[in-house]
Amino acid sequence: MIRLARREFLATLAAGGLLACAPNLLGSPESGVRLVVLGTAGGPTPKPNRFPAAYALVVGEDVYLIDAGNGVAQQLARAGIGINRVRHVFISHHHSDHDADAGAVALLAWATNPKLPLTLWGPPPMRAQMAAYRDYARFDIETRTADEGRPDFDASTRVMEFNEEGLLLDDGKVRVRCARNLHPPIHESYALRFETQDRSYVFSGDTTYSPSVVTLAKGADVLVHEIMYLPALDALIASEPNASTLREHLLASHSTPEQVGRVATEAGVGTLVLSHFVPGGPVVADETWLEAVRPHFSGRIIVAHDLMTLP
Ligand SMILES: [Zn+2]
Ligand SMILES: [Zn+2]
């Protein structure tokens, strides 16, 4: 009874958009699966209020990381998640707000008594990038291996490159599938779906409206979708000499609130989580994001904040 009442209370909060101000309220320790929002910003520029969009799916003791922009390791620490619990890192595409710290996660996890091995998944050129990073970190790896008796970095860090839609991983705890989204000019850009025993989660990646994201997200419990707000963007880019070109590019590769609501409605998801905000600075209020999507999706909508936990 108490649990039911709590859920109703949270649903009421969510309907009013107030959940955005109440991080961690939705923690669900009894299920053993939770989604921790590590960052919510879109774009390469560091922001004062948000880290780059990234998520930790915590399944029992294991952690599956979705994207790894700058600062993701620090955000794991702030969320109380040991980096040595990360077993798989999935990179949706190779824009820096999604992969700048992919190599750093491997290096820092390796230096923190990890459960081995750690696997990094990503589209091309994931393998070449990690080989280059391995070279970059050679001094630290060799020093710590000799000086601190660390395990063999190369044996404990795997790279799995993918360039097709379909099943990526089924380890008995989580089933991960990917579908190509629409993020021109990047062809190798993907949305990801995670099925756990309890719940299903879909991450749109960076995309404009994409039928294949709708298909991937069919019936999911939680859809985390990127979003951009054109009125605020227009104000920001008005002074740029290439404003109209920039606007066209953004419209072709990212999603408006109407498109985000349409994807959630067509897919029939339970909860829509808005994240990867463009613009990502503090200029757009939570209520504005919520009100922009509300006419297009009647289910629960959550405006994500860094370090928020969802069941
Ligand atoms: Zn992005
Ligand atoms: Zn991108």
Side-chain angles (χ1 to χ4, degrees):
M1 285 302 286
I2 290 170
R3 203 170 129 200
L4 194 66
R6 181 171 168 266
R7 286 216 169 134
E8 279 167 4
F9 169 66
L10 292 171
T12 309
L13 279 183
L18 295 173
L19 210 54
C21 309
N24 301 323
L25 264 181
L26 279 175
S28 182
E30 68 269 21
S31 77
V33 178
R34 64 195 165 99
L35 174 65
V36 180
V37 177
L38 299 172
T40 53
T45 320
K47 318 281 191 298
N49 57 323
R50 301 180 189 276
F51 276 75
Y55 315 94
L57 189 63
V58 181
V59 183
E61 272 306 298
D62 291 341
V63 174
Y64 303 75
L65 199 61
I66 297 97
D67 281 330
N70 178 237
V72 70
Q74 179 64 22
Q75 287 296 83
L76 280 169
R78 292 178 72 202
I81 301 170
I83 194 170
N84 54 352
R85 291 169 60 192
V86 176
R87 305 303 306 277
H88 296 271
V89 181
F90 294 87
I91 301 300
S92 62
H93 67 298
H94 291 293
H95 267 146
S96 59
D97 49 326
H98 300 263
D99 78 345
D101 280 3
V105 167
L107 183 68
L108 301 175
W110 168 77
T112 317
N113 301 315
K115 278 174 148 191
L116 300 172
L118 172 75
T119 307
L120 295 120
W121 302 76
M126 189 81 204
R127 204 175 293 286
Q129 283 179 300
M130 283 307 298
Y133 187 84
R134 170 66 179 81
D135 222 31
Y136 173 88
R138 181 176 307 281
F139 182 86
D140 183 71
I141 290 168
E142 287 177 359
T143 303
R144 289 189 198 282
T145 303
D147 190 39
E148 301 172 12
R150 295 284 164 198
D152 180 354
F153 179 87
D154 300 313
S156 61
T157 308
R158 301 188 306 194
V159 179
M160 298 289 284
E161 202 169 82
F162 60 89
N163 58 5
E164 282 178 13
E165 303 187 333
L167 182 69
L168 295 179
L169 170 72
D170 186 350
D171 64 1
K173 290 180 167 184
V174 178
R175 228 169 148 257
V176 186
R177 284 188 291 136
C178 70
R180 205 181 291 276
N181 57 22
L182 274 176
H183 192 45
I186 300 182
H187 180 62
E188 293 296 338
S189 179
Y190 292 87
L192 294 156
R193 178 170 180 135
F194 293 71
E195 302 275 352
T196 70
Q197 200 178 357
D198 302 335
R199 298 168 73 74
S200 49
Y201 303 84
V202 174
F203 302 87
S204 70
D206 284 12
T207 185
T208 188
Y209 173 83
S210 157
S212 58
V213 174
V214 173
T215 303
L216 187 73
K218 281 276 182 209
D221 293 298
V222 177
L223 168 63
V224 181
H225 207 292
E226 70 122 89
I227 189 165
M228 70 173 168
Y229 188 63
L230 283 173
L233 264 177
D234 285 341
L236 278 178
I237 66 177
S239 57
E240 307 269 341
N242 58 338
S244 65
T245 315
L246 201 54
R247 193 175 198 276
E248 267 173 46
H249 160 77
L250 288 166
L251 271 172
S253 55
H254 292 284
S255 298
T256 62
E258 183 180 350
Q259 290 173 324
V260 175
R262 188 178 154 204
V263 170
T265 299
E266 289 177 4
V269 303
T271 298
L272 170 62
V273 178
L274 308 178
S275 184
H276 192 283
F277 298 104
V278 175
V283 294
V284 185
D286 286 356
E287 291 69 25
T288 306
W289 292 111
L290 193 69
E291 282 164 17
V293 179
R294 175 53 71 207
H296 311 287
F297 178 61
S298 59
R300 187 165 72 158
I301 304 171
I302 293 176
V303 180
H305 278 198
D306 290 21
L307 303 180
M308 176 185 271
T309 297
L310 304 165

mmCIF file of all heavy atoms in Angstrom, residues 182-215:
data_model
loop_
_atom_site.group_PDB
_atom_site.id
_atom_site.type_symbol
_atom_site.label_atom_id
_atom_site.label_comp_id
_atom_site.label_asym_id
_atom_site.label_seq_id
_atom_site.Cartn_x
_atom_site.Cartn_y
_atom_site.Cartn_z
ATOM 1 N N LEU A 182 18.824 9.056 -37.459
ATOM 2 C CA LEU A 182 19.028 10.035 -38.542
ATOM 3 C C LEU A 182 19.761 11.256 -38.012
ATOM 4 O O LEU A 182 19.138 12.172 -37.465
ATOM 5 C CB LEU A 182 17.672 10.449 -39.114
ATOM 6 C CG LEU A 182 17.082 9.564 -40.207
ATOM 7 C CD1 LEU A 182 15.691 10.069 -40.597
ATOM 8 C CD2 LEU A 182 17.993 9.532 -41.434
ATOM 9 N N HIS A 183 21.067 11.264 -38.159
ATOM 10 C CA HIS A 183 21.897 12.337 -37.599
ATOM 11 C C HIS A 183 22.934 12.806 -38.620
ATOM 12 O O HIS A 183 24.130 12.679 -38.408
ATOM 13 C CB HIS A 183 22.579 11.810 -36.330
ATOM 14 C CG HIS A 183 23.236 12.853 -35.498
ATOM 15 N ND1 HIS A 183 22.644 14.053 -35.197
ATOM 16 C CD2 HIS A 183 24.438 12.866 -34.879
ATOM 17 C CE1 HIS A 183 23.471 14.755 -34.432
ATOM 18 N NE2 HIS A 183 24.562 14.068 -34.234
ATOM 19 N N PRO A 184 22.438 13.296 -39.770
ATOM 20 C CA PRO A 184 23.384 13.702 -40.811
ATOM 21 C C PRO A 184 24.301 14.833 -40.345
ATOM 22 O O PRO A 184 23.875 15.633 -39.522
ATOM 23 C CB PRO A 184 22.461 14.177 -41.945
ATOM 24 C CG PRO A 184 21.159 14.511 -41.307
ATOM 25 C CD PRO A 184 21.038 13.569 -40.137
ATOM 26 N N PRO A 185 25.544 14.877 -40.813
ATOM 27 C CA PRO A 185 26.079 14.032 -41.893
ATOM 28 C C PRO A 185 26.645 12.704 -41.397
ATOM 29 O O PRO A 185 27.283 12.002 -42.188
ATOM 30 C CB PRO A 185 27.215 14.908 -42.441
ATOM 31 C CG PRO A 185 27.746 15.623 -41.234
ATOM 32 C CD PRO A 185 26.535 15.883 -40.365
ATOM 33 N N ILE A 186 26.412 12.342 -40.155
ATOM 34 C CA ILE A 186 26.989 11.103 -39.631
ATOM 35 C C ILE A 186 26.083 9.925 -39.975
ATOM 36 O O ILE A 186 24.942 9.855 -39.511
ATOM 37 C CB ILE A 186 27.217 11.199 -38.111
ATOM 38 C CG1 ILE A 186 28.179 12.355 -37.804
ATOM 39 C CG2 ILE A 186 27.767 9.880 -37.576
ATOM 40 C CD1 ILE A 186 28.524 12.514 -36.354
ATOM 41 N N HIS A 187 26.598 9.002 -40.773
ATOM 42 C CA HIS A 187 25.829 7.816 -41.156
ATOM 43 C C HIS A 187 25.875 6.774 -40.041
ATOM 44 O O HIS A 187 24.879 6.113 -39.740
ATOM 45 C CB HIS A 187 26.402 7.246 -42.458
ATOM 46 C CG HIS A 187 25.680 6.023 -42.944
ATOM 47 N ND1 HIS A 187 24.346 6.048 -43.303
ATOM 48 C CD2 HIS A 187 26.106 4.751 -43.119
ATOM 49 C CE1 HIS A 187 23.984 4.827 -43.689
ATOM 50 N NE2 HIS A 187 25.021 4.030 -43.570
ATOM 51 N N GLU A 188 27.046 6.641 -39.410
ATOM 52 C CA GLU A 188 27.218 5.636 -38.358
ATOM 53 C C GLU A 188 26.767 6.203 -37.015
ATOM 54 O O GLU A 188 27.573 6.522 -36.132
ATOM 55 C CB GLU A 188 28.680 5.172 -38.296
ATOM 56 C CG GLU A 188 29.124 4.405 -39.532
ATOM 57 C CD GLU A 188 28.376 3.085 -39.712
ATOM 58 O OE1 GLU A 188 27.843 2.559 -38.720
ATOM 59 O OE2 GLU A 188 28.321 2.599 -40.851
ATOM 60 N N SER A 189 25.466 6.368 -36.868
ATOM 61 C CA SER A 189 24.881 6.923 -35.647
ATOM 62 C C SER A 189 23.701 6.041 -35.252
ATOM 63 O O SER A 189 22.892 5.688 -36.102
ATOM 64 C CB SER A 189 24.440 8.366 -35.912
ATOM 65 O OG SER A 189 23.857 8.918 -34.754
ATOM 66 N N TYR A 190 23.626 5.695 -33.960
ATOM 67 C CA TYR A 190 22.687 4.648 -33.551
ATOM 68 C C TYR A 190 21.872 5.006 -32.316
ATOM 69 O O TYR A 190 22.334 5.731 -31.420
ATOM 70 C CB TYR A 190 23.460 3.353 -33.257
ATOM 71 C CG TYR A 190 24.063 2.747 -34.497
ATOM 72 C CD1 TYR A 190 25.328 3.150 -34.950
ATOM 73 C CD2 TYR A 190 23.367 1.804 -35.242
ATOM 74 C CE1 TYR A 190 25.884 2.620 -36.108
ATOM 75 C CE2 TYR A 190 23.919 1.260 -36.407
ATOM 76 C CZ TYR A 190 25.169 1.672 -36.834
ATOM 77 O OH TYR A 190 25.701 1.147 -37.984
ATOM 78 N N ALA A 191 20.651 4.454 -32.291
ATOM 79 C CA ALA A 191 19.841 4.401 -31.074
ATOM 80 C C ALA A 191 20.054 3.016 -30.467
ATOM 81 O O ALA A 191 20.391 2.065 -31.171
ATOM 82 C CB ALA A 191 18.368 4.613 -31.416
ATOM 83 N N LEU A 192 19.857 2.915 -29.154
ATOM 84 C CA LEU A 192 20.132 1.660 -28.453
ATOM 85 C C LEU A 192 18.942 1.252 -27.588
ATOM 86 O O LEU A 192 18.311 2.102 -26.953
ATOM 87 C CB LEU A 192 21.366 1.824 -27.554
ATOM 88 C CG LEU A 192 22.693 2.069 -28.286
ATOM 89 C CD1 LEU A 192 23.670 2.769 -27.373
ATOM 90 C CD2 LEU A 192 23.272 0.752 -28.786
ATOM 91 N N ARG A 193 18.662 -0.040 -27.566
ATOM 92 C CA ARG A 193 17.595 -0.557 -26.701
ATOM 93 C C ARG A 193 18.166 -1.605 -25.746
ATOM 94 O O ARG A 193 18.861 -2.521 -26.174
ATOM 95 C CB ARG A 193 16.468 -1.179 -27.526
ATOM 96 C CG ARG A 193 15.363 -1.774 -26.641
ATOM 97 C CD ARG A 193 14.137 -2.176 -27.446
ATOM 98 N NE ARG A 193 13.092 -2.733 -26.581
ATOM 99 C CZ ARG A 193 11.800 -2.409 -26.661
ATOM 100 N NH1 ARG A 193 11.399 -1.541 -27.566
ATOM 101 N NH2 ARG A 193 10.912 -2.940 -25.848
ATOM 102 N N PHE A 194 17.862 -1.460 -24.472
ATOM 103 C CA PHE A 194 18.323 -2.378 -23.431
ATOM 104 C C PHE A 194 17.116 -3.063 -22.812
ATOM 105 O O PHE A 194 16.224 -2.404 -22.279
ATOM 106 C CB PHE A 194 19.076 -1.611 -22.331
ATOM 107 C CG PHE A 194 20.379 -1.018 -22.792
ATOM 108 C CD1 PHE A 194 20.399 0.070 -23.650
ATOM 109 C CD2 PHE A 194 21.577 -1.556 -22.374
ATOM 110 C CE1 PHE A 194 21.599 0.611 -24.095
ATOM 111 C CE2 PHE A 194 22.790 -1.014 -22.809
ATOM 112 C CZ PHE A 194 22.795 0.064 -23.673
ATOM 113 N N GLU A 195 17.109 -4.384 -22.871
ATOM 114 C CA GLU A 195 16.048 -5.167 -22.223
ATOM 115 C C GLU A 195 16.640 -5.809 -20.981
ATOM 116 O O GLU A 195 17.613 -6.555 -21.073
ATOM 117 C CB GLU A 195 15.569 -6.290 -23.157
ATOM 118 C CG GLU A 195 15.054 -5.857 -24.502
ATOM 119 C CD GLU A 195 13.586 -5.455 -24.457
ATOM 120 O OE1 GLU A 195 12.936 -5.667 -23.412
ATOM 121 O OE2 GLU A 195 13.112 -4.909 -25.471
ATOM 122 N N THR A 196 16.042 -5.526 -19.839
ATOM 123 C CA THR A 196 16.441 -6.227 -18.618
ATOM 124 C C THR A 196 15.266 -7.106 -18.203
ATOM 125 O O THR A 196 14.188 -7.041 -18.802
ATOM 126 C CB THR A 196 16.765 -5.244 -17.487
ATOM 127 O OG1 THR A 196 15.548 -4.620 -17.040
ATOM 128 C CG2 THR A 196 17.733 -4.156 -17.958
ATOM 129 N N GLN A 197 15.471 -7.884 -17.166
ATOM 130 C CA GLN A 197 14.400 -8.757 -16.683
ATOM 131 C C GLN A 197 13.174 -7.923 -16.296
ATOM 132 O O GLN A 197 12.044 -8.340 -16.486
ATOM 133 C CB GLN A 197 14.909 -9.524 -15.473
ATOM 134 C CG GLN A 197 14.113 -10.760 -15.191
ATOM 135 C CD GLN A 197 14.671 -11.520 -14.004
ATOM 136 O OE1 GLN A 197 15.690 -11.149 -13.427
ATOM 137 N NE2 GLN A 197 13.986 -12.577 -13.631
ATOM 138 N N ASP A 198 13.424 -6.734 -15.753
ATOM 139 C CA ASP A 198 12.337 -5.903 -15.234
ATOM 140 C C ASP A 198 11.774 -4.922 -16.251
ATOM 141 O O ASP A 198 10.571 -4.740 -16.349
ATOM 142 C CB ASP A 198 12.827 -5.072 -14.037
ATOM 143 C CG ASP A 198 13.359 -5.959 -12.935
ATOM 144 O OD1 ASP A 198 12.931 -7.127 -12.877
ATOM 145 O OD2 ASP A 198 14.186 -5.487 -12.151
ATOM 146 N N ARG A 199 12.659 -4.268 -16.950
ATOM 147 C CA ARG A 199 12.209 -3.130 -17.745
ATOM 148 C C ARG A 199 13.027 -2.998 -19.029
ATOM 149 O O ARG A 199 14.107 -3.559 -19.142
ATOM 150 C CB ARG A 199 12.367 -1.828 -16.930
ATOM 151 C CG ARG A 199 11.530 -1.809 -15.665
ATOM 152 C CD ARG A 199 11.925 -0.661 -14.765
ATOM 153 N NE ARG A 199 11.484 0.637 -15.262
ATOM 154 C CZ ARG A 199 10.244 1.056 -15.224
ATOM 155 N NH1 ARG A 199 9.302 0.300 -14.733
ATOM 156 N NH2 ARG A 199 9.925 2.259 -15.673
ATOM 157 N N SER A 200 12.478 -2.187 -19.958
ATOM 158 C CA SER A 200 13.200 -1.916 -21.201
ATOM 159 C C SER A 200 13.457 -0.414 -21.337
ATOM 160 O O SER A 200 12.594 0.405 -20.994
ATOM 161 C CB SER A 200 12.397 -2.428 -22.403
ATOM 162 O OG SER A 200 11.062 -1.980 -22.319
ATOM 163 N N TYR A 201 14.630 -0.091 -21.824
ATOM 164 C CA TYR A 201 15.058 1.305 -21.942
ATOM 165 C C TYR A 201 15.568 1.545 -23.364
ATOM 166 O O TYR A 201 16.337 0.733 -23.894
ATOM 167 C CB TYR A 201 16.210 1.597 -20.978
ATOM 168 C CG TYR A 201 15.893 1.317 -19.525
ATOM 169 C CD1 TYR A 201 16.013 0.026 -19.007
ATOM 170 C CD2 TYR A 201 15.483 2.339 -18.668
ATOM 171 C CE1 TYR A 201 15.721 -0.237 -17.675
ATOM 172 C CE2 TYR A 201 15.199 2.083 -17.338
ATOM 173 C CZ TYR A 201 15.317 0.790 -16.845
ATOM 174 O OH TYR A 201 15.022 0.535 -15.533
ATOM 175 N N VAL A 202 15.172 2.658 -23.941
ATOM 176 C CA VAL A 202 15.668 3.010 -25.274
ATOM 177 C C VAL A 202 16.297 4.395 -25.220
ATOM 178 O O VAL A 202 15.746 5.313 -24.599
ATOM 179 C CB VAL A 202 14.531 2.969 -26.320
ATOM 180 C CG1 VAL A 202 15.018 3.485 -27.668
ATOM 181 C CG2 VAL A 202 14.002 1.546 -26.464
ATOM 182 N N PHE A 203 17.446 4.525 -25.864
ATOM 183 C CA PHE A 203 18.159 5.803 -25.937
ATOM 184 C C PHE A 203 18.214 6.216 -27.401
ATOM 185 O O PHE A 203 18.758 5.493 -28.242
ATOM 186 C CB PHE A 203 19.573 5.641 -25.361
ATOM 187 C CG PHE A 203 19.557 5.150 -23.938
ATOM 188 C CD1 PHE A 203 19.520 3.790 -23.651
ATOM 189 C CD2 PHE A 203 19.529 6.051 -22.882
ATOM 190 C CE1 PHE A 203 19.475 3.335 -22.335
ATOM 191 C CE2 PHE A 203 19.477 5.612 -21.570
ATOM 192 C CZ PHE A 203 19.451 4.250 -21.294
ATOM 193 N N SER A 204 17.675 7.374 -27.703
ATOM 194 C CA SER A 204 17.544 7.782 -29.102
ATOM 195 C C SER A 204 18.882 8.080 -29.767
ATOM 196 O O SER A 204 19.000 7.998 -30.976
ATOM 197 C CB SER A 204 16.661 9.036 -29.198
ATOM 198 O OG SER A 204 17.336 10.167 -28.653
ATOM 199 N N GLY A 205 19.908 8.427 -28.952
ATOM 200 C CA GLY A 205 21.104 9.013 -29.544
ATOM 201 C C GLY A 205 20.745 10.364 -30.114
ATOM 202 O O GLY A 205 19.669 10.923 -29.822
ATOM 203 N N ASP A 206 21.626 10.917 -30.949
ATOM 204 C CA ASP A 206 21.340 12.199 -31.600
ATOM 205 C C ASP A 206 20.615 11.902 -32.912
ATOM 206 O O ASP A 206 21.128 11.194 -33.770
ATOM 207 C CB ASP A 206 22.640 12.944 -31.908
ATOM 208 C CG ASP A 206 23.233 13.576 -30.676
ATOM 209 O OD1 ASP A 206 22.767 13.253 -29.558
ATOM 210 O OD2 ASP A 206 24.171 14.383 -30.813
ATOM 211 N N THR A 207 19.430 12.495 -33.076
ATOM 212 C CA THR A 207 18.643 12.149 -34.265
ATOM 213 C C THR A 207 17.524 13.157 -34.480
ATOM 214 O O THR A 207 16.998 13.729 -33.531
ATOM 215 C CB THR A 207 18.041 10.726 -34.111
ATOM 216 O OG1 THR A 207 17.370 10.354 -35.316
ATOM 217 C CG2 THR A 207 17.062 10.647 -32.944
ATOM 218 N N THR A 208 17.163 13.334 -35.739
ATOM 219 C CA THR A 208 15.906 13.987 -36.022
ATOM 220 C C THR A 208 14.833 12.883 -36.001
ATOM 221 O O THR A 208 15.141 11.736 -35.657
ATOM 222 C CB THR A 208 15.952 14.715 -37.392
ATOM 223 O OG1 THR A 208 14.759 15.482 -37.540
ATOM 224 C CG2 THR A 208 16.084 13.731 -38.543
ATOM 225 N N TYR A 209 13.581 13.216 -36.309
ATOM 226 C CA TYR A 209 12.535 12.177 -36.302
ATOM 227 C C TYR A 209 12.991 10.999 -37.155
ATOM 228 O O TYR A 209 13.376 11.174 -38.309
ATOM 229 C CB TYR A 209 11.212 12.719 -36.844
ATOM 230 C CG TYR A 209 10.188 11.619 -36.999
ATOM 231 C CD1 TYR A 209 9.433 11.213 -35.901
ATOM 232 C CD2 TYR A 209 10.024 10.966 -38.214
ATOM 233 C CE1 TYR A 209 8.510 10.173 -36.026
ATOM 234 C CE2 TYR A 209 9.116 9.921 -38.345
ATOM 235 C CZ TYR A 209 8.362 9.535 -37.249
ATOM 236 O OH TYR A 209 7.470 8.503 -37.375
ATOM 237 N N SER A 210 12.924 9.807 -36.569
ATOM 238 C CA SER A 210 13.416 8.633 -37.274
ATOM 239 C C SER A 210 12.457 7.469 -37.087
ATOM 240 O O SER A 210 12.240 7.014 -35.958
ATOM 241 C CB SER A 210 14.809 8.251 -36.738
ATOM 242 O OG SER A 210 15.072 6.892 -36.983
ATOM 243 N N PRO A 211 11.868 6.942 -38.184
ATOM 244 C CA PRO A 211 10.970 5.785 -38.068
ATOM 245 C C PRO A 211 11.666 4.583 -37.441
ATOM 246 O O PRO A 211 11.031 3.790 -36.746
ATOM 247 C CB PRO A 211 10.582 5.487 -39.523
ATOM 248 C CG PRO A 211 10.840 6.762 -40.262
ATOM 249 C CD PRO A 211 11.977 7.439 -39.563
ATOM 250 N N SER A 212 12.968 4.439 -37.662
ATOM 251 C CA SER A 212 13.628 3.253 -37.096
ATOM 252 C C SER A 212 13.800 3.392 -35.580
ATOM 253 O O SER A 212 13.843 2.385 -34.869
ATOM 254 C CB SER A 212 14.959 2.956 -37.792
ATOM 255 O OG SER A 212 15.806 4.044 -37.685
ATOM 256 N N VAL A 213 13.841 4.635 -35.079
ATOM 257 C CA VAL A 213 13.858 4.816 -33.621
ATOM 258 C C VAL A 213 12.479 4.453 -33.055
ATOM 259 O O VAL A 213 12.376 3.818 -32.005
ATOM 260 C CB VAL A 213 14.269 6.251 -33.229
ATOM 261 C CG1 VAL A 213 14.129 6.466 -31.717
ATOM 262 C CG2 VAL A 213 15.706 6.539 -33.664
ATOM 263 N N VAL A 214 11.425 4.828 -33.780
ATOM 264 C CA VAL A 214 10.066 4.456 -33.354
ATOM 265 C C VAL A 214 9.964 2.935 -33.254
ATOM 266 O O VAL A 214 9.489 2.383 -32.257
ATOM 267 C CB VAL A 214 8.999 4.989 -34.339
ATOM 268 C CG1 VAL A 214 7.622 4.449 -33.979
ATOM 269 C CG2 VAL A 214 8.990 6.512 -34.344
ATOM 270 N N THR A 215 10.427 2.247 -34.278
ATOM 271 C CA THR A 215 10.354 0.783 -34.285
ATOM 272 C C THR A 215 11.156 0.193 -33.127
ATOM 273 O O THR A 215 10.685 -0.702 -32.418
ATOM 274 C CB THR A 215 10.900 0.227 -35.629
ATOM 275 O OG1 THR A 215 10.143 0.822 -36.681
ATOM 276 C CG2 THR A 215 10.777 -1.281 -35.705
#
